[in-house]
Amino acid sequence: MTNVLFIMADELSTFGVEGDRSPALTPTLARLRDSGRNFTAAYTPSPICVPTRAAIATGKYLYEIGYWSSAEAYDGKVRGWGHRMQDAGIPVTSIGKLHYRNQSDATGFDQQIEPIHIPDGIGWVRALLRNPLAPYDATAEMAAMIGPGESDYTHFDRRVTAEACAWLRDAPDKPWCTFVSYLSPHYPLIAPEEHFKKYNPKEFESSAETVPKHPILAELADFFDHDPYFTAETRGIARAGYYGLCSFLDQQIAIVLEALHETGLDQDTLIIFTSDHGEMLGARGFWGKSTMYEASARVPLFISGSEVTPETLSAPVSLIDLAPTICNALGVDSSGFSGVDLMHTPDPRRTVLSEYHDGGASVGVTMVRWQGTDGTDWKYVHYAQGSPPQLFNLSADPGEKVDLSESDPETVTEARTRMAALLDPEATNDRAHADQAALVERLGGRQKLLAMEQWNFTPADSR
């Protein structure tokens, strides 16, 4: 392989991919999954856009790089895989959403085509106001923007597809790396008619689900209070819109892959597909992301190409692993990253980490995933400052219904030991709060930030 085509969705849960307990019709993604390496336990470094994209860029976890939240975006100061491509003289291009600080920072791309960055280089400042939490009064918008039709987001994604196809048809005659990044199926949950009508909203109607009895989850649900604005009927319409956007995304990727095939580049190109995080879709009373439940924190991850042997791998992996994988695929130095090369067999005993230091949670949330020696899939979630933890046996309880944190002290001890080998979650929480408090002051103070416009999603024209 001499090229890398890295395709990313936004807010695509594994449950939005055909074949994984989902009604979504995504045949292109299914072919990518079945023709290559399918990682069934891939996790986001943070269940929200901006910090995850910094972690992917740098191949490091949040606690290592300090890009904590939706108002602390990647600025290139921590060098990543893109910089290494540039050092090696390999053309590296982005097409679509980046969600970095701005277009002028040296973030490792020779060219940014149709980029989206955080608004005004500042981002979503409610993310910084966590001690105490600020009110968030823009949540009704999600339930109002649902159903069949077009949105700025679908228009944007069509442009991304067109630009990606044009780029491939004029690709350089040397090894290259190109990042193609879509907005779908991120809300607004408005799907083009041809895709929306593939689903019957009535099949997805439901009453409101109960938020788990946990102080920080209750805090998140009160902050991101999208669900009270839904009815049983509109929950069904919104879910049909989400699955319609999954099918729309699948169609756009099919067009790009056809262009790759038409140019003959498919024979020499490693294709990586993933999403930055998932989508709760009303489960447990949550819409969007921001929790460590599987629908939010676990993501699809496929690697395919003409020389890739199909294989399904259940060992936990992280999106920080993409940095060394991309570098090694192009023969570039991959030392110093915290992830591992996904073209090698992943270690099932490895501990994979996810963190949340963003809006709606007054304390840091840290999750570790691993497989036990008997093959059991474990997940442990730590909530800072004394809030109770959660422990789930995902092998026996894939729906995460039974919290074992009080009944299985031996596994809790193992989880804490694994977490401590990576980071001190309390010290990390303190660092994040301190960094965010300092940034609040640099931006003019809490009252100034409270007066800023609130919004639910980044505008498609943010540069």
Side-chain angles (χ1 to χ4, degrees):
M1 297 292 181
T2 58
N3 312 308
V4 172
L5 177 62
F6 178 8
I7 304 174
M8 182 180 287
D10 195 328
E11 205 141 324
L12 179 63
S13 170
T14 56
F15 308 139
V17 176
E18 187 178 66
D20 194 350
R21 294 188 291 162
S22 169
L25 301 173
T26 54
T28 305
L29 294 183
R31 284 195 298 272
L32 282 177
R33 178 198 64 209
D34 296 341
S35 65
R37 294 170 74 82
N38 173 24
F39 298 88
T40 61
Y43 288 86
T44 179
S46 184
I48 200 157
C49 302
V50 175
T52 285
R53 289 164 184 267
I56 292 171
T58 59
K60 293 183 177 294
Y61 287 120
L62 270 60
Y63 78 91
E64 299 177 288
I65 55 178
Y67 298 101
W68 304 111
S69 76
S70 301
E72 296 161 285
Y74 185 53
D75 55 7
K77 291 181 179 177
V78 179
R79 285 169 54 84
W81 57 265
H83 298 99
R84 299 195 188 192
M85 298 293 123
Q86 291 178 316
D87 292 346
I90 295 172
V92 55
T93 304
S94 75
I95 306 171
K97 179 177 178 178
L98 284 173
H99 238 184
Y100 296 168
R101 186 174 68 168
N102 57 47
Q103 193 169 347
S104 61
D105 287 335
T107 51
F109 290 105
D110 302 333
Q111 183 182 21
Q112 296 180 19
I113 301 170
E114 289 285 349
I116 289 179
H117 293 292
I118 61 171
D120 303 317
I122 298 174
W124 186 57
V125 296
R126 281 295 191 278
L128 302 172
L129 304 178
R130 302 172 56 222
N131 190 21
L133 289 173
Y136 181 42
D137 302 323
T139 53
E141 187 177 49
M142 181 185 283
M145 302 180 73
I146 59 176
E150 298 283 346
S151 70
D152 288 347
Y153 272 26
T154 55
H155 289 312
F156 175 85
D157 280 349
R158 293 183 196 278
R159 294 198 303 274
V160 168
T161 295
E163 292 287 359
C165 291
W167 192 93
L168 288 169
R169 292 181 182 119
D170 194 31
D173 188 21
K174 60 185 296 190
W176 49 260
C177 180
T178 298
F179 177 53
V180 178
S181 182
Y182 289 98
L183 292 172
S184 297
H186 192 291
Y187 54 86
L189 301 177
I190 299 171
E193 173 72 30
E194 66 172 299
H195 300 291
F196 183 87
K197 68 183 182 182
K198 296 174 181 176
Y199 306 94
N200 180 2
K202 293 283 185 187
E203 296 181 1
F204 310 125
E205 291 183 3
S206 73
S207 57
E209 294 193 21
T210 302
V211 177
K213 293 182 179 179
H214 186 282
I216 304 304
L217 291 172
E219 190 175 73
L220 279 162
D222 286 343
F223 185 83
F224 293 113
D225 62 339
H226 301 291
D227 200 61
Y229 296 99
F230 284 94
T231 64
E233 179 182 10
T234 57
R235 286 188 192 92
I237 295 170
R239 289 166 181 151
Y242 179 80
Y243 294 126
L245 286 171
C246 292
S247 293
F248 166 72
L249 170 71
D250 191 82
Q251 178 193 60
Q252 299 307 301
I253 294 171
I255 295 169
V256 172
L257 295 183
E258 179 59 26
L260 188 74
H261 174 71
E262 288 174 355
T263 58
L265 291 168
D266 56 328
Q267 296 303 305
D268 298 307
T269 301
L270 190 72
I271 303 167
I272 298 173
F273 173 80
T274 192
S275 178
D276 53 358
H277 51 73
E279 161 65 60
M280 292 295 290
L281 280 185
R284 296 176 174 81
F286 292 99
W287 291 81
K289 47 273 186 181
S290 303
T291 76
M292 293 299 176
Y293 287 113
E294 292 287 275
S296 171
R298 185 160 67 95
V299 294
L301 177 56
F302 318 136
I303 302 179
S304 66
S306 62
E307 299 176 9
V308 178
T309 301
E311 187 175 7
T312 297
L313 301 119
S314 63
V317 298
S318 170
L319 295 186
I320 70 164
D321 297 334
L322 296 176
T325 303
I326 292 168
C327 285
N328 284 338
L330 287 162
V332 174
D333 175 32
S334 65
S335 63
F337 294 123
S338 298
V340 300
D341 185 348
L342 294 175
M343 296 308 292
H344 300 306
T345 301
D347 180 2
R349 309 295 174 251
R350 175 189 178 203
T351 306
V352 166
L353 174 73
S354 188
E355 306 169 64
Y356 187 81
H357 307 280
D358 217 301
S362 60
V363 301
V365 183
T366 311
M367 181 270 283
V368 287
R369 262 287 275 119
W370 77 98
Q371 282 186 357
T373 54
D374 61 354
T376 299
D377 290 310
W378 291 104
K379 174 189 285 187
Y380 177 78
V381 187
H382 176 91
Y383 299 87
Q385 297 180 3
S387 290
Q390 293 174 300
L391 175 69
F392 298 107
N393 178 338
L394 295 178
S395 298
D397 176 30
E400 301 170 284
K401 302 293 186 183
V402 182
D403 180 2
L404 302 174
S405 60
E406 294 186 358
S407 61
D408 190 350
E410 181 178 344
T411 304
V412 168
T413 297
E414 179 182 359
R416 289 174 172 166
T417 299
R418 286 175 172 273
M419 188 173 288
L422 290 169
L423 82 168
D424 178 337
E426 296 296 328
T428 301
N429 173 68
D430 292 344
R431 281 178 50 219
H433 275 299
D435 289 350
Q436 290 168 346
L439 180 55
V440 168
E441 292 308 307
R442 291 199 300 273
L443 292 174
R446 183 180 178 89
Q447 292 307 310
K448 181 177 179 180
L449 269 57
L450 285 170
M452 289 183 177
E453 180 183 2
Q454 299 185 53
W455 37 272
N456 245 323
F457 51 87
T458 301
D461 61 355
S462 293
R463 294 292 186 269

